[in-house]
Amino acid sequence: MNKIENVFKKLKQTDRKALISYIMAGDPDLDATKKFVAELEEAGADIIELGVPFSDPLADGPTIQRASERALQQGTTLRKVLALVREIRQTSQIPLILMTYYNPVFKFGIEKFVIEAASAGVNGVIIPDLIPDEADDFIAVARQYKLDTIFLLAPTSTLERIKKVVKASTGFIYYVSITGITGAELSINDPMKNTLNLIKDNTNKPVAIGFGISNPEEASEISKLANGIIVGSAIVKRIAGEKDIKEFTRSLRDAI
Amino acid sequence: MDAFPKKVPNAKGHFGPYGGRFVPETLMPALIELETAYKKYKKDRNFLNELTLLQKDFIGRPTPLYFAKNLSNTLGGAKIYLKREDLCHTGAHKINNALAQALLAKKMGKSRIIAETGAGQHGVATATGAALVGLKCEIYMGSEDIRRQSLNVFRMRLLDAKVTDVNVGSKTLKDAINEALRDWTTNVQNTHYVLGTAFGPHPYPVMVRDFQSVIGNEARKQILRLEKRLPDCLIACVGGGSNSIGLFSAFLEDQTRMIGVEAGGRGISSGEHAARFAGGSLGVFQGCKSYLLQNDDGNVLGTHSVSAGLDYASVGPEHCYLRDMKRIEYTYATDEKALRAFELLSRTEGIIPALESAHAIAEAVKTAPAMPKDSIIIVNLSGRGDKDVQEVARIKGIAL
């Protein structure tokens, strides 16, 4: 069984939910990222997502856009993020997911990327602008190297899209809580819950909810609806403000 | 030539290896809804009649195909005809697409349309369409472009559109598109995104081509009437590629030579240009796979052109396909050549072209003299130059 799936399975046995924390690799620099990964793990994160900066992050709100700009200014590249993962793997076995836009992967070479990511110790990949319809090559090679392919669904998703995404996803399914971009205001409404129920009716794979979760109260409420929660912008904002992320992560862990 | 152009794109929006849909999943239902609506309305008699009437009475179509006798004599070669898209309402071909999409959005029951704009032409065209059919309108524009094109910003506001300043990234067109896509992702239920060129996720490249094909369809009839034969050569500038594909699409199955002209900026070796074919490589950007100006790590490079409408890092996927098929040739004109052509056309014909269109004129200046006197070139004069006179004066160091 792949590592990510295992996390969800183990948590389920004790009726707990997964805390997935996102940070932007290279913000403010790669050494700091390494330190943050250790802090997040210590504070109780179950899975860590590392953002790979891109010049045009069209699915991201202002907080992650700015983090991406800072990381690029530091010279952070996909290649360097893969090297960082190798380094992290010397001291930590926490499941790691890369979240990157498609063009850096495409330019790197899809097969080469999958091989290098898997060998560096990456467990899964999220590419917000790659839909399963365009991902045949990526999925095929990712299966071969046991890299999880995590695709996204949204409150706008139709049954046809849900079936397609559920089939293409391994590890978990990333449910975007809002029709919007990262860091937007959370709203737990009927369309959001209805689509979520439709997803659950169509799969036994774990579902994690992200976009817009900014405090322990929201984390608690959202975690009741799924197998895990993803918190990104709220952590990235703390990093930008040079605030502690350990206590905050602990408060999220305690809330879910 | 085979009838291959009609076979592209396929059901997934692929033009050979190009095109497709590379967008957040949130947008997929909207793209499918748009594709379904477009397929329905492009065959709907009422919709087409309404559009045709507006093209005639509102845009002012058909636009003339004008024999530029003075320019032809000055260059001393082929006969040069100008397809006068500069005479369209709002001053450029952009209105052909913007108005049609606004009408489609209304039919789809949307209450709001949004658009990106660089120089402001597509923003003005979309705001005009919104005012006409009665939709709320918001235009995203980079703060750098807002500064350079204050007149068009005021025009959009007069047309009751909200103009939103995009103050991130390079603060130009590509950032305005990112922001428009973010808006669409957020407000997808009631909003239609009026993308301004034959680019982006399927069905935009094919839909925008079809809405601009009126240029080529008219030009083909007009030249057959005037000269009793097809032209030897077509020339158009290529930013995203909508005016060029609009003209070229009617001639793809003929023998006519076709040349697309990209922005050469300060020269390819300077790195300050927007010549995607001369200086780019295959990439995935803002919804589709195409040629892209990017670095080795897959980040998108800054571009430069004297003409804001050509100043973009990627190019419509159908152009890549037709280039591979060797059906269209692509070249570029530098800022300097375009500025010279801008002045030449103004002086010889009394027509001040848009700086974008001046790139096409520059290619005619290069090509026409070597062609026989009885040969025929059609240049797509995609827009008028009123919007550019201040910028040209600034470049020439003239205080207005």
Side-chain angles (χ1 to χ4, degrees), chain A residues 54-58 60 65 69 72 77 102-104 106-107 128-129 131 133-134 152 154 156 161 165 179-181, chain B residues 12 14 20-26 28-29 169 174 178 182 185-186 281 283-285 294 296-300:
Chain A
F54 178 53
S55 54
D56 294 85
L58 58 81
D60 284 304
Q65 284 176 48
E69 279 183 17
L72 284 174
T77 62
Y102 189 45
N103 197 51
F106 182 76
K107 184 74 179 164
D129 59 344
I131 55 171
D133 316 56
E134 297 282 357
L152 294 89
T156 52
R161 296 303 307 164
V165 167
T179 56
I181 51 180
Chain B
K12 283 181 164 184
H14 292 159
R21 279 177 173 150
F22 296 87
V23 291
E25 185 64 40
T26 311
M28 276 308 290
K174 80 176 176 77
N178 287 336
R182 288 179 189 122
T185 307
T186 307
S281 56
V284 175
F285 183 54
Q294 58 182 326
D296 291 342
D297 298 306
N299 287 305
V300 179

Side-chain angles (χ1 to χ4, degrees), chain B residues 96-317:
Chain B
N96 299 329
N97 167 54
L99 184 61
Q101 281 199 46
L103 202 58
L104 183 63
K106 186 83 177 177
K107 301 277 177 206
M108 289 169 72
K110 303 289 179 182
S111 60
R112 175 174 178 265
I113 55 177
I114 56 169
E116 81 292 348
T117 197
Q121 291 304 103
H122 176 57
V124 168
T126 303
T128 301
L132 180 72
V133 306
L135 292 167
K136 274 194 283 184
C137 181
E138 183 162 355
I139 306 294
Y140 289 93
M141 190 168 183
S143 35
E144 188 57 27
D145 291 330
I146 285 184
R147 187 188 60 74
R148 289 190 287 200
Q149 302 285 345
S150 53
L151 197 65
N152 271 341
V153 174
F154 186 60
R155 287 170 81 193
M156 288 183 264
R157 287 182 176 144
L158 280 176
L159 294 160
D160 207 21
K162 182 179 173 200
V163 181
T164 300
D165 185 338
V166 180
N167 196 14
V168 293
S170 62
K171 301 170 191 174
T172 60
L173 178 60
K174 80 176 176 77
D175 309 285
I177 294 177
N178 287 336
E179 210 52 37
L181 283 167
R182 288 179 189 122
D183 178 316
W184 199 29
T185 307
T186 307
N187 301 299
V188 62
Q189 274 99 345
N190 70 352
T191 298
H192 170 67
Y193 178 22
V194 182
L195 188 62
T197 191
F199 189 75
H202 180 61
Y204 284 103
V206 60
M207 181 173 73
V208 176
R209 174 196 73 193
D210 291 352
F211 286 148
Q212 292 293 0
S213 65
V214 64
I215 303 172
N217 292 337
E218 284 176 10
R220 199 167 191 281
K221 274 185 218 148
Q222 288 166 321
I223 199 71
L224 286 173
R225 194 169 61 233
L226 291 164
E227 292 279 354
K228 313 278 182 286
R229 72 175 186 89
L230 290 168
D232 300 286
C233 181
L234 305 175
I235 303 174
C237 63
V238 184
S242 70
N243 90 77
S244 49
I245 206 72
L247 174 66
F248 295 165
S249 59
F251 297 86
L252 287 171
E253 289 168 50
D254 304 321
Q255 300 298 318
T256 305
R257 183 183 177 204
M258 301 179 190
I259 307 173
V261 188
E262 296 185 282
R266 298 190 177 102
I268 305 304
S269 58
S270 73
E272 294 179 58
H273 61 83
R276 291 68 47 105
F277 289 125
S281 56
L282 196 57
V284 175
F285 183 54
Q286 294 183 331
C288 68
K289 196 180 282 181
S290 182
Y291 273 79
L292 175 65
L293 292 168
Q294 58 182 326
N295 68 15
D296 291 342
D297 298 306
N299 287 305
V300 179
L301 292 172
T303 52
H304 164 80
S305 170
V306 68
S307 129
L310 303 183
D311 197 355
Y312 185 62
S314 190
V315 59

